[in-house]
mmCIF file of all heavy atoms in Angstrom:
data_model
loop_
_atom_site.group_PDB
_atom_site.id
_atom_site.type_symbol
_atom_site.label_atom_id
_atom_site.label_comp_id
_atom_site.label_asym_id
_atom_site.label_seq_id
_atom_site.Cartn_x
_atom_site.Cartn_y
_atom_site.Cartn_z
ATOM 1 N N ASP A 314 -5.360 7.485 5.285
ATOM 2 C CA ASP A 314 -5.666 8.682 4.692
ATOM 3 C C ASP A 314 -6.574 8.476 3.379
ATOM 4 O O ASP A 314 -6.320 9.157 2.361
ATOM 5 C CB ASP A 314 -4.372 9.498 4.263
ATOM 6 C CG ASP A 314 -3.605 9.904 5.447
ATOM 7 O OD1 ASP A 314 -4.254 10.074 6.550
ATOM 8 O OD2 ASP A 314 -2.276 10.026 5.402
ATOM 9 N N GLY A 315 -7.523 7.680 3.492
ATOM 10 C CA GLY A 315 -8.441 7.483 2.511
ATOM 11 C C GLY A 315 -8.134 6.577 1.362
ATOM 12 O O GLY A 315 -8.892 6.394 0.385
ATOM 13 N N ASP A 316 -6.908 5.858 1.550
ATOM 14 C CA ASP A 316 -6.498 4.993 0.485
ATOM 15 C C ASP A 316 -6.356 3.595 1.084
ATOM 16 O O ASP A 316 -5.651 3.324 2.082
ATOM 17 C CB ASP A 316 -5.067 5.422 0.033
ATOM 18 C CG ASP A 316 -4.568 4.591 -1.184
ATOM 19 O OD1 ASP A 316 -5.365 3.786 -1.730
ATOM 20 O OD2 ASP A 316 -3.373 4.824 -1.534
ATOM 21 N N CYS A 317 -7.174 2.631 0.550
ATOM 22 C CA CYS A 317 -7.080 1.262 1.091
ATOM 23 C C CYS A 317 -5.732 0.562 0.717
ATOM 24 O O CYS A 317 -5.361 0.495 -0.467
ATOM 25 C CB CYS A 317 -8.248 0.394 0.468
ATOM 26 S SG CYS A 317 -8.472 -1.113 1.339
ATOM 27 N N LYS A 318 -4.932 0.285 1.729
ATOM 28 C CA LYS A 318 -3.672 -0.224 1.594
ATOM 29 C C LYS A 318 -3.394 -1.720 1.624
ATOM 30 O O LYS A 318 -2.599 -2.250 0.814
ATOM 31 C CB LYS A 318 -2.733 0.400 2.713
ATOM 32 C CG LYS A 318 -2.601 1.914 2.627
ATOM 33 C CD LYS A 318 -1.854 2.302 1.363
ATOM 34 C CE LYS A 318 -1.475 3.775 1.324
ATOM 35 N NZ LYS A 318 -0.740 4.106 0.095
ATOM 36 N N GLU A 319 -4.197 -2.403 2.411
ATOM 37 C CA GLU A 319 -3.869 -3.869 2.460
ATOM 38 C C GLU A 319 -5.018 -4.614 3.243
ATOM 39 O O GLU A 319 -5.867 -4.003 3.955
ATOM 40 C CB GLU A 319 -2.602 -4.169 3.133
ATOM 41 C CG GLU A 319 -2.428 -3.679 4.547
ATOM 42 C CD GLU A 319 -0.940 -3.668 5.020
ATOM 43 O OE1 GLU A 319 -0.156 -3.252 4.278
ATOM 44 O OE2 GLU A 319 -0.754 -4.222 6.099
ATOM 45 N N LEU A 320 -5.157 -5.856 2.930
ATOM 46 C CA LEU A 320 -5.967 -6.795 3.609
ATOM 47 C C LEU A 320 -5.173 -7.787 4.489
ATOM 48 O O LEU A 320 -4.164 -8.225 3.956
ATOM 49 C CB LEU A 320 -6.848 -7.539 2.695
ATOM 50 C CG LEU A 320 -7.588 -6.743 1.542
ATOM 51 C CD1 LEU A 320 -8.386 -7.818 0.653
ATOM 52 C CD2 LEU A 320 -8.628 -5.835 2.191
ATOM 53 N N LEU A 321 -5.601 -8.050 5.670
ATOM 54 C CA LEU A 321 -4.903 -9.039 6.439
ATOM 55 C C LEU A 321 -5.881 -10.191 6.784
ATOM 56 O O LEU A 321 -6.880 -9.904 7.375
ATOM 57 C CB LEU A 321 -4.426 -8.472 7.769
ATOM 58 C CG LEU A 321 -3.252 -7.336 7.649
ATOM 59 C CD1 LEU A 321 -2.919 -6.833 9.098
ATOM 60 C CD2 LEU A 321 -2.035 -7.929 7.047
ATOM 61 N N PHE A 322 -5.378 -11.363 6.492
ATOM 62 C CA PHE A 322 -6.223 -12.552 6.905
ATOM 63 C C PHE A 322 -5.492 -13.287 7.975
ATOM 64 O O PHE A 322 -4.362 -13.814 7.788
ATOM 65 C CB PHE A 322 -6.439 -13.443 5.628
ATOM 66 C CG PHE A 322 -7.429 -12.839 4.740
ATOM 67 C CD1 PHE A 322 -7.069 -11.792 3.926
ATOM 68 C CD2 PHE A 322 -8.695 -13.456 4.534
ATOM 69 C CE1 PHE A 322 -7.914 -11.310 2.928
ATOM 70 C CE2 PHE A 322 -9.610 -12.930 3.657
ATOM 71 C CZ PHE A 322 -9.265 -11.808 2.871
ATOM 72 N N VAL A 323 -6.191 -13.443 9.143
ATOM 73 C CA VAL A 323 -5.524 -14.200 10.267
ATOM 74 C C VAL A 323 -6.038 -15.521 10.291
ATOM 75 O O VAL A 323 -7.363 -15.612 10.652
ATOM 76 C CB VAL A 323 -5.597 -13.439 11.583
ATOM 77 C CG1 VAL A 323 -4.927 -14.199 12.714
ATOM 78 C CG2 VAL A 323 -5.110 -12.029 11.500
ATOM 79 N N GLN A 324 -5.381 -16.645 10.038
ATOM 80 C CA GLN A 324 -5.861 -17.942 10.175
ATOM 81 C C GLN A 324 -5.337 -18.523 11.449
ATOM 82 O O GLN A 324 -4.216 -18.448 11.893
ATOM 83 C CB GLN A 324 -5.281 -18.753 9.004
ATOM 84 C CG GLN A 324 -5.694 -18.281 7.650
ATOM 85 C CD GLN A 324 -5.051 -18.878 6.513
ATOM 86 O OE1 GLN A 324 -4.005 -18.442 5.995
ATOM 87 N NE2 GLN A 324 -5.499 -19.986 6.018
ATOM 88 N N ASP A 325 -6.248 -19.258 12.153
ATOM 89 C CA ASP A 325 -5.973 -20.014 13.370
ATOM 90 C C ASP A 325 -6.469 -21.523 13.160
ATOM 91 O O ASP A 325 -7.612 -21.686 13.000
ATOM 92 C CB ASP A 325 -6.788 -19.366 14.577
ATOM 93 C CG ASP A 325 -6.603 -20.073 15.869
ATOM 94 O OD1 ASP A 325 -6.000 -21.275 15.916
ATOM 95 O OD2 ASP A 325 -7.131 -19.600 16.868
ATOM 96 N N ARG A 326 -5.570 -22.473 13.063
ATOM 97 C CA ARG A 326 -5.906 -23.727 12.686
ATOM 98 C C ARG A 326 -6.986 -24.397 13.694
ATOM 99 O O ARG A 326 -7.594 -25.403 13.278
ATOM 100 C CB ARG A 326 -4.563 -24.674 12.611
ATOM 101 C CG ARG A 326 -4.059 -25.037 14.021
ATOM 102 C CD ARG A 326 -2.823 -25.789 13.713
ATOM 103 N NE ARG A 326 -2.207 -26.238 15.049
ATOM 104 C CZ ARG A 326 -1.016 -26.530 15.178
ATOM 105 N NH1 ARG A 326 -0.104 -26.577 14.192
ATOM 106 N NH2 ARG A 326 -0.525 -26.934 16.457
ATOM 107 N N LEU A 327 -7.053 -23.780 14.880
ATOM 108 C CA LEU A 327 -8.034 -24.383 15.867
ATOM 109 C C LEU A 327 -9.507 -23.725 15.724
ATOM 110 O O LEU A 327 -10.340 -24.022 16.433
ATOM 111 C CB LEU A 327 -7.461 -24.204 17.240
ATOM 112 C CG LEU A 327 -6.147 -24.850 17.675
ATOM 113 C CD1 LEU A 327 -5.864 -24.603 19.083
ATOM 114 C CD2 LEU A 327 -6.190 -26.301 17.298
ATOM 115 N N PHE A 328 -9.594 -22.764 14.662
ATOM 116 C CA PHE A 328 -10.823 -21.971 14.643
ATOM 117 C C PHE A 328 -11.630 -22.520 13.408
ATOM 118 O O PHE A 328 -11.010 -22.681 12.249
ATOM 119 C CB PHE A 328 -10.514 -20.517 14.439
ATOM 120 C CG PHE A 328 -11.733 -19.735 14.276
ATOM 121 C CD1 PHE A 328 -12.498 -19.381 15.383
ATOM 122 C CD2 PHE A 328 -12.165 -19.253 12.906
ATOM 123 C CE1 PHE A 328 -13.671 -18.488 15.160
ATOM 124 C CE2 PHE A 328 -13.217 -18.437 12.837
ATOM 125 C CZ PHE A 328 -14.034 -18.068 13.870
ATOM 126 N N ASP A 329 -12.909 -22.767 13.617
ATOM 127 C CA ASP A 329 -13.791 -23.248 12.506
ATOM 128 C C ASP A 329 -15.080 -22.515 12.391
ATOM 129 O O ASP A 329 -16.018 -22.987 11.801
ATOM 130 C CB ASP A 329 -13.993 -24.734 12.645
ATOM 131 C CG ASP A 329 -12.872 -25.655 12.364
ATOM 132 O OD1 ASP A 329 -12.233 -25.449 11.272
ATOM 133 O OD2 ASP A 329 -12.533 -26.518 13.128
ATOM 134 N N GLY A 330 -15.052 -21.273 13.016
ATOM 135 C CA GLY A 330 -16.263 -20.468 12.981
ATOM 136 C C GLY A 330 -16.371 -19.502 11.793
ATOM 137 O O GLY A 330 -15.501 -19.649 10.829
ATOM 138 N N THR A 331 -17.159 -18.464 11.977
ATOM 139 C CA THR A 331 -17.356 -17.478 10.890
ATOM 140 C C THR A 331 -16.359 -16.314 11.276
ATOM 141 O O THR A 331 -16.448 -15.832 12.451
ATOM 142 C CB THR A 331 -18.797 -16.988 10.839
ATOM 143 O OG1 THR A 331 -19.661 -17.989 10.634
ATOM 144 C CG2 THR A 331 -18.876 -15.917 9.806
ATOM 145 N N PRO A 332 -15.605 -15.803 10.354
ATOM 146 C CA PRO A 332 -14.637 -14.791 10.777
ATOM 147 C C PRO A 332 -15.289 -13.426 11.090
ATOM 148 O O PRO A 332 -16.375 -13.121 10.604
ATOM 149 C CB PRO A 332 -13.772 -14.628 9.526
ATOM 150 C CG PRO A 332 -14.496 -15.125 8.416
ATOM 151 C CD PRO A 332 -15.427 -16.153 9.035
ATOM 152 N N LYS A 333 -14.546 -12.639 11.827
ATOM 153 C CA LYS A 333 -14.959 -11.262 12.134
ATOM 154 C C LYS A 333 -14.168 -10.347 11.210
ATOM 155 O O LYS A 333 -12.968 -10.721 10.824
ATOM 156 C CB LYS A 333 -14.502 -10.795 13.581
ATOM 157 C CG LYS A 333 -15.467 -11.437 14.663
ATOM 158 C CD LYS A 333 -16.848 -10.756 14.780
ATOM 159 C CE LYS A 333 -17.620 -11.285 15.927
ATOM 160 N NZ LYS A 333 -18.977 -10.680 16.030
ATOM 161 N N ILE A 334 -14.785 -9.313 10.690
ATOM 162 C CA ILE A 334 -14.155 -8.486 9.782
ATOM 163 C C ILE A 334 -14.029 -7.063 10.405
ATOM 164 O O ILE A 334 -15.031 -6.551 10.897
ATOM 165 C CB ILE A 334 -14.828 -8.232 8.500
ATOM 166 C CG1 ILE A 334 -15.048 -9.696 7.799
ATOM 167 C CG2 ILE A 334 -14.253 -7.292 7.477
ATOM 168 C CD1 ILE A 334 -15.830 -9.719 6.508
ATOM 169 N N SER A 335 -12.830 -6.467 10.362
ATOM 170 C CA SER A 335 -12.677 -5.159 11.019
ATOM 171 C C SER A 335 -12.172 -4.195 9.738
ATOM 172 O O SER A 335 -11.196 -4.434 9.177
ATOM 173 C CB SER A 335 -11.624 -5.200 12.112
ATOM 174 O OG SER A 335 -12.133 -5.798 13.180
ATOM 175 N N ALA A 336 -12.930 -3.037 9.661
ATOM 176 C CA ALA A 336 -12.476 -1.948 8.853
ATOM 177 C C ALA A 336 -11.672 -1.024 9.647
ATOM 178 O O ALA A 336 -12.139 -0.465 10.614
ATOM 179 C CB ALA A 336 -13.700 -1.269 8.212
ATOM 180 N N ILE A 337 -10.421 -0.771 9.279
ATOM 181 C CA ILE A 337 -9.500 0.092 10.183
ATOM 182 C C ILE A 337 -9.249 1.281 9.310
ATOM 183 O O ILE A 337 -8.486 1.107 8.381
ATOM 184 C CB ILE A 337 -8.335 -0.738 10.607
ATOM 185 C CG1 ILE A 337 -8.651 -1.986 11.391
ATOM 186 C CG2 ILE A 337 -7.283 0.109 11.453
ATOM 187 C CD1 ILE A 337 -7.504 -2.777 11.962
ATOM 188 N N ARG A 338 -9.588 2.478 9.895
ATOM 189 C CA ARG A 338 -9.219 3.693 9.162
ATOM 190 C C ARG A 338 -8.072 4.450 9.957
ATOM 191 O O ARG A 338 -8.275 4.793 11.179
ATOM 192 C CB ARG A 338 -10.444 4.577 9.132
ATOM 193 C CG ARG A 338 -10.219 5.960 8.413
ATOM 194 C CD ARG A 338 -11.379 6.860 8.726
ATOM 195 N NE ARG A 338 -11.269 8.106 7.891
ATOM 196 C CZ ARG A 338 -11.802 9.198 8.148
ATOM 197 N NH1 ARG A 338 -12.607 9.327 9.226
ATOM 198 N NH2 ARG A 338 -11.659 10.367 7.519
#
Side-chain angles (χ1 to χ4, degrees):
D314 295 330
D316 185 12
C317 193
K318 291 296 186 180
E319 58 194 49
L320 308 179
L321 294 178
F322 287 72
V323 181
Q324 297 170 268
D325 176 353
R326 73 180 182 202
L327 301 182
F328 180 77
D329 285 312
T331 304
K333 291 284 188 180
I334 302 178
S335 292
I337 302 178
R338 181 194 184 202

